[in-house]
Amino acid sequence: MCGIIGILGKKNNVVPNVLEGLRLLEYRGYDSAGIAVLDDQGRISRLRSSGKLTALEGRLRETPLSGRAAIGHTRWATHGAATEANAHPHMTERAAMVHNGIIENYQELKAGLEAQGHVFESQTDSEVAVRLVSQGLSEGKSPEEATREALLRLEGAFALVFLFAGEPDLLIGARRGSPLAIGYGPTGACLGSDALAVGPLSDRISYLDDDDWVVVRGGEAVIRNRAGDRVGRPVKRLDPSLRFNLGKSGYQHYMQKEIFEQPQVTGDTLKTLLEPSGGRLTLPEDLPFRVSDAERLNVVACGTSFYAAMVGKYWIEALARLPVDVDVASEFRYRDPVLAPKGVSVFISQSGETADTLAALRYCRERGQKTLGIVNVKDSSIDRESDGSLLTMAGPEFGVASTKSFTAQLTLLAALAINIASERGLLATGEEARLIRLLLEVPAMMAEILSRSEEIALVSRDILAGSRDALFLGRGPGYPLALEGALKLKEITYIHAEGYAAGEIKHGPIALVDKDVPVVVLAPTDALFPKIASNLEEVRAREGRIVFVGDQKGLEKVGKGLAAGLVIPPVDPFVVPLIYAIPVQLLAYHTAVFKGTDADQPRNLAKSVTVE
Ligand code: M6R
């Protein structure tokens, strides 16, 4: 979703730095980009373009800009189409501004500003913010006063950065709901949406809290709260690993690289909870409550993280006999959920910034729930606002489609299930060690499947790439995996795909099956194999093009007449979700490559969904 960067240079031209920051924000997903620069005369110049950054860079080659103060933006359209006129920065003669979020009372503010003579140039909700500030400036207020007063009038969610005409050493940023970070480095302070954006110029970072605003001047950043009082926010060292390994390392796409990183990520994530002896999984000591004491768990998430939560429910209920409710975050707080008194609520999010998941976390905290985040981005809002967090060790994930963060979430959920079951005394002697051994074997098994990526590519080419619709079927924890497989395929290839619990197809979806519809059947040889084999027969009887994903024994049982069989090494049912995630991701990835769609930045999608 929208990405923001704001940089002040001491003597140098900061346009290349802003472009580098925007490049690092590309992963969030966007459909237009722009930059505003203060020239040597103190005037603001701006260039914007719809489409990708390369288009903006082309405009900059035709009309070079340079200056010591600049702001940049990648926009993911909400109010108004992805046109140049709606792209940020928005500006007047007095100020320019970039915004991430939604200003909910923009229509009312706009009407008031129009009555004062302002002529709006865009259809966005954002433009009101720069016009409110400009109005204050035209009334003789200082940039600080004008901004503070404008902020008090805005409703909704925002991260904002303002640049002021005639003020080469000033940026003002503000946050409510949408994240904004301050990077500190040898050249002073800069502002950006996340650690990646400020990383190239910074070695330390801090984050604004809601309703904070920050004045960056003279190499310093002064933070104030809503009341205008100066406040301090923790400053942490920036993780140096953020600066490494940000390229594609020879892979064609980030998504491909991230799929191939999964053996390492799974091992690294598991290690964070594994006692040195290797025989026990323990939760961090600073977690202020015992999850195993809960009588019920709520797990809340969106998208792929929600499917991870669904798998977690199977594991935790089966092993630890602890009831688990899973909810899509956008529905959760609006359905007036019944929360167990002093219960534990878990929030799963790769980015740690998903607006609905964050709102659900705040909803639960206000109602006295103990909260646990499962996040990939340390110091993200969900990490900071939860009572405790478990960190997935996936590293930066740039592909919009979640891959390695999904299996890292699964790894933590599997470990959590074992930990709770063990603390509740529900594991027979040797069982905890056996389950841990199974998890430790996962990276090697993932690597084996990855080595057969080209074989999977043939199925993508011959069966999926040419189809309009596809179905994914699974049972047990294979059901959320079927949902995830369908989500992966639809988001990066635009093929209409649905995932179903295999037993449900008779209740409707089987009407879709004919000789043109690929049906991917996830069929590990577990207790439910005979059931899913029957569902496969139902599809076969309607001439569906079956792509069987299972082991050799299962393949032999279902016999001939399949469109394709992807043979996976036999695995214990406990680790099926972790292992079967790989072929499901590779099927989608290779299909996107054959179709020529953008696997890393699919249309209309954002990596970090920071608006409701
Ligand atoms: O950052 P989060 O895990 O909270 O993001 C949740 C979803 O937006 C995300 O999983 C989305 O569904 C991905 N595009 C799936 O690949």
Side-chain angles (χ1 to χ4, degrees):
M1 208 140 265
C2 304
I4 287 179
I5 180 85
I7 300 176
L8 298 175
K10 281 191 179 136
K11 290 200 178 110
N12 53 318
N13 169 25
V14 295
V15 170
N17 305 94
V18 169
L19 285 174
E20 183 184 17
L22 292 181
R23 186 67 68 208
L24 292 166
L25 289 164
E26 273 196 299
Y27 78 96
R28 297 165 75 92
Y30 69 105
D31 35 41
S32 60
I35 180 166
V37 183
L38 210 61
D39 66 20
D40 288 343
Q41 282 74 47
R43 283 180 312 233
I44 302 171
S45 312
R46 164 182 74 171
L47 273 182
R48 298 172 296 169
S49 172
S50 60
K52 295 294 177 190
L53 260 188
T54 43
L56 178 67
E57 286 165 336
R59 302 287 311 276
L60 277 165
R61 274 193 295 278
E62 287 163 15
T63 317
L65 293 181
S66 80
R68 290 185 292 127
I71 55 177
H73 190 262
T74 49
R75 174 176 187 249
W76 189 83
T78 57
H79 294 58
T83 58
E84 182 176 329
N86 289 330
H88 300 214
H90 293 292
M91 64 176 279
T92 65
E93 276 190 355
R94 295 172 187 275
M97 175 226 63
V98 286
H99 169 223
N100 172 17
I102 294 178
I103 296 172
E104 287 168 1
N105 60 336
Y106 81 100
Q107 277 169 320
E108 173 198 323
L109 294 172
K110 186 174 177 181
L113 286 160
E114 280 173 337
Q116 289 176 299
H118 287 263
V119 179
F120 279 74
E121 295 171 349
S122 75
Q123 302 156 314
T124 64
D125 55 319
S126 311
E127 194 181 342
V128 292
V130 72
R131 291 197 173 273
L132 274 180
V133 170
S134 301
Q135 179 62 32
L137 293 170
S138 71
E139 291 164 8
K141 291 173 187 149
S142 68
E144 287 89 336
E145 283 169 331
T147 307
R148 179 162 177 241
E149 286 179 16
L151 294 174
L152 292 173
R153 297 185 60 192
L154 300 180
E155 291 170 14
F158 50 79
L160 294 162
V161 177
F162 295 91
L163 176 74
F164 298 88
E167 297 275 3
D169 188 26
L170 176 66
L171 288 176
I172 300 184
R175 173 208 166 134
R176 186 186 303 155
S178 308
L180 191 66
I182 309 168
Y184 301 91
T187 54
C190 60
L191 301 175
S193 291
D194 60 23
L196 288 172
V198 299
L201 292 175
S202 315
D203 45 35
R204 285 154 302 135
I205 191 166
S206 66
Y207 293 88
L208 295 188
D209 271 2
D210 270 350
D211 286 316
D212 283 353
W213 55 290
V214 58
V215 176
V216 182
R217 184 183 264 140
E220 278 196 3
V222 174
I223 308 173
R224 295 185 188 277
N225 62 15
R226 188 182 171 94
D229 301 326
R230 194 166 170 170
V231 288
R233 301 294 173 217
V235 179
K236 300 194 175 170
R237 287 213 74 73
L238 201 55
D239 181 356
S241 69
L242 279 177
R243 303 192 199 171
F244 305 127
N245 210 13
L246 295 184
K248 292 184 194 155
S249 310
Y251 289 97
Q252 198 181 344
H253 293 97
Y254 281 113
M255 182 180 178
Q256 185 188 25
K257 172 177 176 250
E258 287 158 7
I259 290 174
F260 275 77
E261 283 173 345
Q262 288 177 106
Q264 163 122 34
V265 164
T266 306
D268 290 349
T269 302
L270 192 59
K271 261 189 244 156
T272 61
L273 300 185
L274 198 60
E275 279 192 352
S277 68
R280 283 204 67 202
L281 287 161
T282 47
L283 302 188
E285 275 175 10
D286 58 1
L287 202 63
F289 53 85
R290 270 165 50 110
V291 183
S292 54
D293 288 342
E295 285 176 15
R296 198 169 195 96
L297 287 188
N298 277 319
V299 191
V300 184
C302 297
T304 289
S305 298
F306 174 71
Y307 298 143
M310 286 178 73
V311 175
K313 175 181 167 78
Y314 280 92
W315 275 329
I316 295 168
E317 291 192 339
L319 281 183
R321 310 309 299 155
L322 174 63
V324 180
D325 296 317
V326 292
D327 270 273
V328 168
S330 55
E331 287 296 317
F332 176 72
R333 68 192 191 283
Y334 298 116
R335 71 168 172 81
D336 197 9
V338 180
L339 301 173
K342 298 194 182 143
V344 174
S345 295
V346 183
F347 303 88
I348 307 180
S349 173
Q350 184 283 130
S351 61
E353 300 293 351
T354 299
D356 282 312
T357 313
L358 182 58
L361 162 64
R362 291 173 178 166
Y363 178 97
C364 287
R365 287 194 67 167
E366 280 160 20
R367 284 155 185 79
Q369 292 281 292
K370 300 179 182 103
T371 56
L372 175 69
I374 296 185
V375 296
N376 190 40
V377 181
K378 186 163 169 39
D379 294 324
S380 56
S381 300
I382 292 177
D383 177 31
R384 285 179 292 130
E385 294 190 29
S386 300
D387 295 327
S389 291
L390 303 180
L391 290 174
T392 50
M393 304 308 280
E397 189 178 65
F398 290 99
V400 162
S402 300
T403 52
K404 60 177 180 173
S405 63
F406 175 64
T407 43
Q409 290 164 349
L410 292 183
T411 304
L412 286 182
L413 288 163
L416 186 63
I418 295 171
N419 171 272
I420 303 171
S422 167
E423 290 202 348
R424 294 182 145 211
L426 293 173
L427 296 179
T429 316
E431 182 61 357
E432 180 167 6
R434 186 187 78 86
L435 293 171
I436 292 172
R437 246 191 340 269
L438 289 171
L439 288 177
L440 288 169
E441 284 163 9
V442 163
M445 296 179 105
M446 283 177 162
E448 186 182 337
I449 300 170
L450 288 166
S451 73
R452 287 158 49 198
S453 174
E454 290 313 308
E455 192 187 311
I456 296 173
L458 298 180
V459 179
S460 294
R461 184 192 67 186
D462 297 340
I463 298 169
L464 290 171
S467 48
R468 212 188 53 183
D469 306 287
L471 292 175
F472 285 72
L473 305 181
R475 276 179 174 267
Y479 162 44
L481 215 54
L483 294 169
E484 171 63 1
L487 176 65
K488 283 289 87 86
L489 190 70
K490 78 180 110 185
E491 70 180 329
I492 61 167
T493 71
Y494 319 141
I495 293 171
H496 168 237
E498 300 295 342
Y500 281 98
E504 273 289 298
I505 54 163
K506 292 187 280 298
H507 302 287
I510 203 162
L512 297 172
V513 174
D514 65 20
K515 61 181 181 22
D516 296 322
V517 177
V519 183
V520 180
V521 184
L522 305 175
T525 314
D526 57 16
L528 292 172
F529 182 83
K531 306 280 176 205
I532 202 154
S534 306
N535 302 131
L536 186 146
E537 290 307 331
E538 291 155 8
V539 173
R540 189 169 13 216
R542 274 96 194 161
E543 298 182 56
R545 304 182 77 197
I546 297 166
V547 176
F548 172 90
V549 185
D551 56 33
Q552 186 61 36
K553 207 164 117 198
L555 184 69
E556 283 160 16
K557 281 195 182 140
V558 297
K560 297 203 169 57
L562 305 171
L566 290 179
V567 180
I568 305 296
V571 292
D572 186 277
F574 180 59
V575 293
V576 158
L578 281 155
I579 303 297
Y580 278 57
I582 307 287
V584 151
Q585 294 166 352
L586 284 172
L587 278 174
Y589 170 71
H590 288 300
T591 306
V593 172
F594 285 116
K595 286 198 71 176
T597 50
D598 188 341
D600 282 340
Q601 291 173 26
R603 68 184 182 202
N604 304 341
L605 291 177
K607 179 72 181 162
S608 183
V609 182
T610 50
V611 294
E612 260 198 58

